[in-house]
Amino acid sequence: GRTLLILLTDQPDLLLPTIRSRAQIVRFAALSFERVRMELERRKIDRAAADQAAKLSEGSLGAALHWIEDGVIESAMALNQRIDALLKGKPVADLADWLKTAAETYAKRQLEHDDRASKDQATREGLGLYLRIASQHFRSQLAGETDSAARARRCAAIDAIVRAENYLDANVNIPLIFQQLAIALEMTFAPVRV
């Protein structure tokens, strides 16, 4: 009678009906940008890093703290700069190599935390993280776009990222995923020749 079980899930529909019927649902929302930034500053993180981490973490203080500790924020900013160059029609020839290096750097930091972790799995986690960040950046650019052709290109880029995520989940060779994504993005944003 004095026991309280807390069950966390992001897919409550997959729980058995007998469990759902005995549970009280409490929904948690993402924290606001301001709240995450304020909490980061309270932890003595400088304002510029707190702003970037709060923006990228989409309301997750834990993710923001983890990404600051693991150096993800700087890499995410570099990735967003490459995406901005693509959006302007500039080729980004090193995108596949950059993604490979960033994912391997992420994996190296994860292995420093846990030497029993799998390097391949940590690299895949890093790639998944950077794919999410790229998708988030394209979505943020999509929100303010009024040109239908530009919106279509951003949607095609998001589709290419989703394909890469599916390949990642299907355990496809990582260099092939990098190459496929880089080619798809460059073709999407290549200047149209008449």
Side-chain angles (χ1 to χ4, degrees), residues 5 12 15 21 33-34 36 39 46 60 63 78 84 86 98 103 108 115-117 156-157 166 182 187 192:
L5 298 175
L15 295 174
S21 69
F33 168 83
E34 292 81 15
V36 173
E39 290 297 323
D46 70 87
S60 172
D84 289 340
L86 277 173
W98 186 91
K108 181 180 174 190
D115 60 351
R116 293 174 293 166
N166 289 337
M187 287 177 56
V192 178

Side-chain angles (χ1 to χ4, degrees), residues 75 82 94-109 123 126-127 130 174 178:
S75 295
R82 283 171 169 74
D94 72 333
L95 185 60
D97 291 334
W98 186 91
L99 283 168
K100 179 180 184 281
T101 302
E104 288 174 351
T105 300
Y106 178 86
K108 181 180 174 190
R109 288 189 176 127
T123 302
L127 180 56
Y130 291 115
I174 291 176
F178 292 134

Side-chain angles (χ1 to χ4, degrees), residues 166-184:
N166 289 337
Y167 292 151
L168 190 64
D169 290 342
N171 225 12
V172 172
N173 182 283
I174 291 176
L176 292 176
I177 296 171
F178 292 134
Q179 288 178 330
Q180 177 274 330
L181 179 62
I183 290 168

Side-chain angles (χ1 to χ4, degrees), residues 31-55 57 59-61 64 68:
L31 298 173
S32 69
F33 168 83
E34 292 81 15
R35 180 63 184 220
V36 173
R37 187 188 68 220
M38 181 183 72
E39 290 297 323
L40 292 172
E41 288 176 352
R42 194 171 67 78
R43 288 169 170 80
K44 307 285 189 259
I45 295 168
D46 70 87
R47 177 124 185 155
D51 277 347
Q52 287 300 318
K55 180 179 174 185
S57 69
S60 172
L61 178 60
I68 289 170

